[in-house]
Amino acid sequence: MFPGRPREFSTSPPAAIFPTSADRPMNPNNDKRAVAEVFSPEHRLQTFGNGIDIPPSSIRGGLKETAVSVVQEKLGLKEGEVIYTSGYSSDVADYAYLAQAHDNILFINAVANLAMKDGKLVTFGSSFVKTASSHPTIPVETAVSAAERMTRASYNGSPTKIEYLALSNGTVALVHVIQVQNDEAGVWLEVHVDAHTGEVHSAVDFVA
């Protein structure tokens, strides 16, 4: 357990996910502004002044191992539910950035970050969310067709992925992650198609 009373800040941005209809193209006029953007769940940031002691059980061999252990301890998560994505050490502190996972499936937009110094936790932030079923019921071929129909672009052959997407209503969707392109229109998108309903939830514009 971590002692101390932190200062907490909410860094949640406005919801940026726009509902779409399965019968209406997301981008009928190849207008990039029509693309649904990825929602970012509320990010709670805690600061601990000069820092609070990290439990000895959470101090591991290096930055990666210690950071994962700290997040697991803080949020009550199990092994495999926290993935280290990057980090670095400086004269000021050690910094780590992590992502949430469930059943070895990474979340697109649920992340954590922390800073440590001299065996103490200085800051801790997280937008982790509750999980959902990890077994898709919509085949990827159907998801590709939905992505192409909604964007009027074509699947570019990049490997598809199964990931989680936190939604603005507080729920979590298992999604097929599919890249589509329309070179003539200058469109290159990563589209997130619900792996249970086939709904297109959002997309990331690689060109904008």
Side-chain angles (χ1 to χ4, degrees):
M1 298 294 292
F2 288 83
R5 297 184 62 184
R7 295 182 62 194
E8 295 192 1
F9 304 88
S10 173
T11 58
S12 175
I17 187 167
F18 307 103
T20 57
S21 166
D23 299 321
R24 185 180 69 253
M26 178 191 296
N27 197 13
N29 299 312
N30 293 320
D31 184 354
K32 295 177 185 177
R33 294 172 298 177
V35 176
E37 299 176 1
V38 178
F39 164 76
S40 295
E42 181 181 16
H43 191 89
R44 301 291 297 181
L45 177 64
Q46 299 174 309
T47 62
F48 302 99
N50 293 326
I52 57 174
D53 290 332
I54 297 174
S57 60
S58 293
I59 299 178
R60 305 296 173 86
L63 172 59
K64 175 181 178 179
E65 294 79 10
T66 298
V68 168
S69 182
V70 166
V71 176
Q72 289 174 341
E73 174 74 17
K74 287 281 290 180
L75 301 180
L77 299 174
K78 302 176 183 178
E79 184 176 353
E81 294 181 331
V82 180
I83 304 297
Y84 177 89
T85 58
S86 65
Y88 65 95
S89 298
S90 73
D91 294 337
V92 178
D94 298 324
Y95 301 92
Y97 304 90
L98 309 100
Q100 186 175 1
H102 180 65
D103 287 347
N104 296 315
I105 297 174
L106 197 68
F107 278 75
I108 294 170
N109 55 343
V111 298
N113 61 281
L114 55 86
M116 302 176 289
K117 183 176 182 180
D118 299 329
K120 294 180 180 291
L121 183 64
V122 180
T123 64
F124 179 83
S126 169
S127 61
F128 280 23
V129 295
K130 294 182 179 180
T131 56
S133 171
S134 60
H135 303 289
T137 55
I138 299 294
V140 67
E141 294 80 9
T142 301
V144 166
S145 296
E148 291 179 330
R149 182 173 64 252
M150 295 295 286
T151 61
R152 292 191 175 176
S154 300
Y155 172 51
N156 66 6
S158 296
T160 62
K161 297 180 289 184
I162 285 285
E163 294 185 343
Y164 281 111
L165 179 70
L167 304 180
S168 59
N169 62 4
T171 63
V172 172
L174 185 72
V175 296
H176 291 287
V177 181
I178 299 160
Q179 288 190 24
V180 297
Q181 287 183 255
N182 183 331
D183 292 336
E184 292 184 0
V187 172
W188 181 14
L189 304 170
E190 178 185 270
V191 185
H192 309 135
V193 182
D194 197 297
H196 293 300
T197 68
E199 177 184 357
V200 176
H201 286 296
S202 62
V204 174
D205 190 342
F206 290 142
V207 179

